């Protein structure tokens, strides 16, 4: 009986392709495509660098509330990085079946509940 659908050779090829992609992409990630900044140096415009980091690291995914738009839920950029809104009163989280990865999220994408309790995304704007 075969338990793996991907042979080891296929896994090695996928790993090699990822490493190659990283070697090609990472050198161009610094300012002006010149690679990462040298240690101890500061970027020319720290605000621009911060905006880049917020975008690349996906901070908006959890810290910017969603709003319903004509094409479905979209980040409410008027409240960018403001965390979980005060106004919506959340009901108690539903009881989930036993399992190690069970959790639920609020429609705003800023509150999450699981075996640990409820977590609210904090405001990152100060």
């Amino acid at each position: 009986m075969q338990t793996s659908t991907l042979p080891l050779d296929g896994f090695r090829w996928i790993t090699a392709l990822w490493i190659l992609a990283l070697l090609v992409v990472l050198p161009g990630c610094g300012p002006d495509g010149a690679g990462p900044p040298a240690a101890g140096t500061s970027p020319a415009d720290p605000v621009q660098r911060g905006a880049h980091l917020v975008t690349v690291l996906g901070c908006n995914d959890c810290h910017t509330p969603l709003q319903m738009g004509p094409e479905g839920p979209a980040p409410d950029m008027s409240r960018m990085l403001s965390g979980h809104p005060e106004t919506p009163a959340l009901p108690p989280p539903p009881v989930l079946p036993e399992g190690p990865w069970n959790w639920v999220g609020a429609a705003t994408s800023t509150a999450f509940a699981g075996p640990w309790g409820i977590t609210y995304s904090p405001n990152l704007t100060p």
Side-chain angles (χ1 to χ4, degrees):
M1 176 168 77
Q2 185 177 0
T3 58
S4 174
T5 58
L6 183 64
L8 188 58
D9 291 328
F11 178 74
R12 287 183 183 153
W13 273 106
I14 291 171
T15 304
L17 288 174
W18 272 107
I19 290 171
L20 179 63
L22 289 174
L23 290 174
V24 169
V25 171
L26 286 180
C29 289
D32 300 326
T41 62
S42 63
D45 184 4
V47 173
Q48 185 179 13
R49 176 73 174 155
H52 171 73
L53 290 175
V54 165
T55 302
V56 169
L57 297 175
C59 299
N60 286 321
D61 295 347
C62 296
H63 295 275
T64 300
L66 298 178
Q67 68 178 357
M68 190 57 72
E71 297 178 12
D76 182 1
M77 297 314 277
S78 68
R79 298 188 294 172
M80 182 178 172
L81 304 175
S82 66
H84 184 71
E86 274 182 10
T87 52
L90 296 178
V95 177
L96 299 173
E98 187 68 28
W101 304 108
N102 290 333
W103 65 275
V104 293
T108 60
S109 186
T110 56
F112 310 93
W116 63 87
I118 299 177
T119 301
Y120 298 97
S121 297
N123 183 351
L124 298 183
T125 59

